[in-house]
Structure formats: structure tokens, C-alpha cells
Amino acid sequence: MFNTANNQDIVQTKLDKLFFQEFSKPDMGSGYVDVTYPIFNQMTMDKKFVQTEVNASVGLFVETPEAQAINVDAPQIGNYVITEALKFTQSIQVSLEMMKDGMFNVVEKNVKDLAIRARTSMNSRGFAVFRNAFTTQLTPDGVSFAHPLIKGGTESNILTTAEIVGAPATTALTSNSLDAAIQKLAVQRDQAGVLVGSGASYLVVPPRLFRLAIQLTSSVLEGDTSTNAINVFRSDTGIRVVCSQFLGVVSGGSDTAWFVMSTNHGVNRYVRESLTTMVSDISNSNNLSMSYIAYFREAYETLDYAGTVGATGL
């Protein structure tokens, strides 16, 4: 399909067709998502760094008698953070011998594998936000789940056993713990200490909890009780179960942790440069090989706790 007589641009066009077709294929079946799914707010950057901050808005409206001065409140801005777009690269080499001998099947396999590695690299890095949510993934206030509010007070978005009906020994995913997480999300306060709350839109789970999550949210009756009670998670909430293989123990995460999220959350994905490819000129190499190169530049941040409740399941 290609040889040393081909124009470099033609070679790249042929390889790119293979590469991006493979990159666009889904990894898994229905319910499994990647970093382009709305549990990540999709943002762009126009330079290497982006500065963001957390805003504490004004309080509630105050009843004001006739001819009295209007209430005065001032928004406050704090928790500045600078996020850097990091570059991720990989390449394969195509030797002169491979081109002259027409070993396109080998090249095709290597290009497709490179595309899979690109997709895997993006997803593994992106879902680290959730894998490390209870430890090293911090919001700009310097903590992971018990957050000091800009205008005073604290707000925790980690589920505890005391908040679950019956006070079980763990926060393992059950109908009761899911209900408690939804309630906790509904009464979240913002940085000004005002109760705003959010509706639950997504239940984010590792593969080990995927089946249970579907049963809890899709069964006609409650799946883990014997009361034949109607399953309100199916009839009223409309929660979408989303899963990633990059959340579980095998990928360095947890098989028990889970999250409830609203559409109004603070998990951001910044893209500085989307996945890009290039071909190096074989005449400029020192080993008579052409390199097919791929790279992307992006960053992740958890700007605010709002819109997310997490449970370790322990």
C-alpha cells in the first residue's frame, strides 16, 4: 500500500485513516464511558496554563421594608488554582525494510495498537480524578472531601454510614446508601453557605459494581429488599449508570467506591491540543526508519465539590 516512492503526506493520510478509525471505536459495551462523557466538563485552553478560581456568590434575598436601604452583600473569590496542560506522546517506527518488503499488515497492526494506547492513556489519566478522589485528588481548597467554604463553615461530600438508614457498617452500594447519597446531593450548600442542592444524574461505578448499579436503578421493584416496594430510582430519578474499567482495583482504583453526580459538577477536562499525528521524514533519520508520531495535550481539575457525592464503599 505504501513504499519509499510514496509522498510523505500520502503515507500519513493512509496511516491516519487507520489510526483514527481505531481510536474512535468504543472500548466496551453500553454503559461504559470515556473522558468525553459529561461526567467531565469539556473545556478548551488557548495556552499552556489556565487560571481558575472558586466564586462565593451573594446570599439569599432579604426582605426589605419600604424606603429602607437595600441589602448589600459582596461576592468573594478565592481558591485560585493554575492548571497546566501536559503533553503525552508515543510513536512507532516503520523501517525501510518493512516498506520495501510491503509488510503493511504488520504496520497496520502497530498503527491500530498505537490508537488503542492513545485512547487508553487518555481514559486512564482522566479517571484518575475519581480513583484518587478520597486521597490525592484535591479541590483548590486543599482537601478532598471535607471542604471549608469561602464565606465560612464546611461542607462534606463524602457519604458516611451515619447518613444511611439503619446505619450499616459500610457505605457499600445498596438502595439505602444510594438514596442517602441522592439526599446528600439534594441539600448541598454552595461556597456562600446557601442551600442550593442538585439532582442526581449519574451513578459512577467500577466494573465490579456495574451489574448491581443497573439492578438498583432499572428493576421494577427494589432489588435488594423483600418488600416488593416500587423502585423509585427507576420511576422518578432517571439516573444514568456510567462505568469505566479505569475505576477498579486493576487500574489502581477501588472495586467498592462509587459516586453520584449532577450535571452541574466541578470536574473539568481541559484540552489544549487534541490527538494529533505526524510522520517524520525517513531521509532525516539515522536508522533508515520513518516514525509515525501521535501526541495530545490536556489537563484535569476538580474545581469545586458541588454536584458530587462520593462513597468509599468501606
Side-chain angles (χ1 to χ4, degrees):
M1 183 173 287
F2 62 84
N3 54 53
T4 53
N6 283 141
N7 179 278
Q8 182 174 330
D9 290 338
I10 296 176
V11 172
Q12 181 169 353
T13 299
K14 292 177 179 178
L15 296 181
D16 280 351
K17 183 177 181 180
L18 285 172
F19 181 86
F20 286 105
Q21 281 180 344
E22 191 66 29
F23 177 78
S24 299
K25 291 180 181 178
D27 277 321
M28 309 288 283
S30 176
Y32 281 74
V33 301
D34 61 19
V35 292
T36 64
Y37 198 74
I39 58 172
F40 297 92
N41 295 319
Q42 306 297 317
M43 321 282 278
T44 58
M45 305 170 67
D46 59 5
K47 49 187 176 294
K48 185 175 183 179
F49 298 96
V50 61
Q51 177 179 300
T52 51
E53 59 282 320
V54 179
N55 179 61
S57 190
V58 297
L60 295 174
F61 277 55
V62 175
E63 181 179 344
T64 306
E66 183 178 353
Q68 297 299 307
I70 63 173
N71 188 65
V72 177
D73 195 358
Q76 295 180 28
I77 296 176
N79 299 337
Y80 294 90
V81 62
I82 295 177
T83 302
E84 177 184 3
L86 302 179
K87 179 172 62 179
F88 299 86
T89 66
Q90 192 55 274
S91 65
I92 58 172
Q93 286 195 334
V94 182
S95 67
L96 177 65
E97 289 81 2
M98 293 176 72
M99 288 188 280
K100 283 192 170 184
D101 295 343
M103 299 176 64
F104 188 73
N105 287 340
V106 176
V107 176
E108 178 180 5
K109 178 67 166 60
N110 288 336
V111 169
K112 288 183 176 181
D113 285 346
L114 183 66
I116 294 171
R117 294 295 184 267
R119 187 172 65 240
T120 299
S121 299
M122 285 183 180
N123 288 324
S124 179
R125 172 169 166 73
F127 279 95
V129 169
F130 295 94
R131 290 198 303 272
N132 301 324
F134 304 97
T135 53
T136 58
Q137 184 66 42
L138 309 179
T139 48
D141 55 23
V143 299
S144 56
F145 268 91
H147 304 276
L149 304 181
I150 291 176
K151 287 194 172 182
T154 59
E155 185 77 8
S156 174
N157 60 334
I158 182 171
L159 186 67
T160 65
T161 55
E163 296 170 298
I164 304 172
V165 172
T170 72
T171 56
L173 181 60
T174 64
S175 60
N176 282 339
S177 62
L178 177 57
D179 182 50
I182 293 172
Q183 291 184 48
K184 190 174 182 70
L185 192 64
V187 296
Q188 271 189 345
R189 297 175 301 155
D190 65 13
Q191 291 286 348
V194 175
L195 191 155
V196 288
S198 300
S201 298
Y202 309 110
L203 173 56
V204 185
V205 297
R208 186 63 63 89
L209 295 179
F210 184 58
R211 177 184 177 186
L212 173 60
I214 293 294
Q215 290 172 338
L216 289 175
T217 58
S218 300
S219 300
V220 176
L221 303 178
E222 285 192 2
D224 57 357
T225 68
S226 59
T227 61
N228 289 331
I230 187 173
N231 184 5
V232 297
F233 304 125
R234 179 192 185 205
S235 60
D236 289 337
T237 62
I239 294 177
R240 170 75 186 272
V241 174
V242 295
C243 181
S244 171
Q245 64 269 43
F246 300 102
L247 290 175
V249 166
V250 174
S251 62
S254 167
D255 283 342
T256 61
W258 53 278
F259 305 84
V260 171
M261 300 179 70
S262 74
T263 55
N264 183 30
H265 59 77
V267 181
N268 298 330
R269 175 188 182 227
Y270 287 95
V271 177
R272 177 64 182 92
E273 290 185 83
S274 58
L275 187 60
T276 303
T277 62
M278 60 183 67
V279 173
S280 67
D281 191 340
I282 192 171
S283 63
N284 293 328
S285 71
N286 60 3
N287 62 353
L288 293 179
S289 295
M290 174 194 73
S291 290
Y292 184 68
I293 303 164
Y295 75 94
F296 59 91
R297 296 169 64 196
E298 61 184 29
Y300 293 84
E301 71 172 11
T302 45
L303 183 61
D304 200 6
Y305 63 85
T308 304
V309 169
T312 64
L314 301 174

